Amino acid sequence: MTTRRIATLAGVGLLAGFFSGLFGVGGGIVIVPLLVLLLAFPQRLASGTSLAAILPTAIAGSIGYAVRGEVDWVAAGCLAVGAIAGSLIGTWMLARISQGWLRWAFVAFQLIMAVSLFFVVPARETSLDYSVGTVLALAGVGLFTGILSGLLGVGGGVIVVPVMLLFFGMGDLVAKGTSLVMMIPTAITGTISNLRNRNSDLRAAGIIGLLAIPASFGGIAVAAAIPPQLGSILFALLLLFTASQLIIKGLKERRAGA
């Protein structure tokens, strides 16, 4: 591994860690496109490596939000139960789906989430009222999140945070902290499955994850300082930027192969 490659992975880790803390995501929404664009990772390997790198990032971010009292542990548990099963399904699918399809599916996923975030007007201090229906709904969200986590290499925060804001009325900071806690078991089970399928570069994931840890605490501090609506808009703009870069790369490769 060259010095340039290590430096690039470190930069990816710092950026992913900051966005992880700021938006309550694992960082995969940043890691996957940057590995593809900057280091020419195949889409499948980028997804698997990202999921492994998310584990230390999610742990650090969870601690940062938990010490501030901004985690709903019941919701995190319900989400995690569904997400663990979903991540196994997603990683199984990852080894069987074409890389071209994966890239365009990931782009579509980013665009849908970006558009939805422009319509989110999150509160800061709200909590959930639990019922059997709420618990089942959370587990269902977790299942869907886990599938996309294993398939696309994202921690699931890009699904969980908007869903918790839009459909469950959870406060923005609690949604972010809860999302990060939910990712921990998902990342573990998904990474084990990816390693069995040889879809993960642990050395690259280790460098990214190590640098992401300190950066995540800076992101958490910024998240608490900015208005909730501004946070949602910034996240949407980030998704639009990364999606546009992948679209450009995909179109260039299609023209080159024509």
Side-chain angles (χ1 to χ4, degrees):
M1 188 176 288
T2 65
T3 302
R4 177 184 175 278
R5 189 175 182 84
I6 293 172
T8 302
L9 290 170
V12 171
L14 288 171
L15 191 62
F18 179 77
F19 285 125
S20 174
L22 179 59
F23 298 123
V25 300
I29 204 73
V30 175
I31 296 170
V32 174
L34 289 183
L35 289 180
V36 172
L37 294 169
L38 300 180
L39 295 173
F41 269 59
Q43 185 73 33
R44 186 176 292 120
L45 182 61
S47 295
T49 301
S50 171
L51 195 57
I54 282 169
L55 180 57
T57 311
I59 292 173
S62 297
I63 294 171
Y65 277 102
V67 297
R68 299 167 60 94
E70 291 161 350
V71 173
D72 186 323
W73 296 99
V74 175
C78 295
L79 290 164
V81 169
I84 290 171
S87 68
L88 296 176
I89 297 171
T91 50
W92 176 84
M93 294 170 64
L94 177 63
R96 292 161 175 81
I97 295 178
S98 72
Q99 294 187 42
W101 188 95
L102 270 178
R103 172 178 294 169
W104 292 111
F106 190 63
V107 168
F109 168 72
Q110 288 178 302
L111 293 175
I112 291 170
M113 290 299 102
V115 172
S116 69
L117 282 169
F118 279 110
F119 296 97
V120 175
V121 184
R124 179 128 292 179
E125 300 295 339
T126 56
S127 58
L128 293 185
D129 295 322
Y130 286 97
S131 65
V132 174
T134 302
V135 170
L136 292 176
L138 288 169
V141 172
L143 179 66
F144 178 68
T145 300
I147 291 173
L148 286 186
S149 175
L151 187 60
L152 301 177
V154 297
V158 288
I159 303 168
V160 170
V161 174
V163 166
M164 299 308 288
L165 296 177
L166 280 169
F167 300 107
F168 291 88
M170 183 178 281
D172 67 315
L173 296 180
V174 176
K176 293 172 183 178
T178 302
S179 168
L180 287 167
V181 172
M182 177 275 300
M183 290 177 204
I184 296 172
T186 309
I188 292 172
T189 55
T191 296
I192 291 172
S193 182
N194 276 327
L195 289 174
R196 290 174 179 168
N197 293 316
R198 299 182 179 180
N199 285 333
S200 185
D201 183 335
L202 283 185
R203 287 191 302 170
I207 295 171
I208 293 170
L210 183 64
L211 272 295
I213 291 172
S216 67
F217 294 108
I220 293 170
V222 174
I226 63 176
Q229 183 64 26
L230 176 59
S232 290
I233 293 172
L234 291 175
F235 192 14
L237 292 175
L238 168 67
L239 296 180
L240 291 174
F241 173 76
T242 56
S244 68
Q245 295 305 301
L246 286 174
I247 290 171
I248 292 170
K249 182 176 177 64
L251 292 176
K252 285 182 178 178
E253 290 182 356
R254 178 174 292 182
R255 293 194 192 100

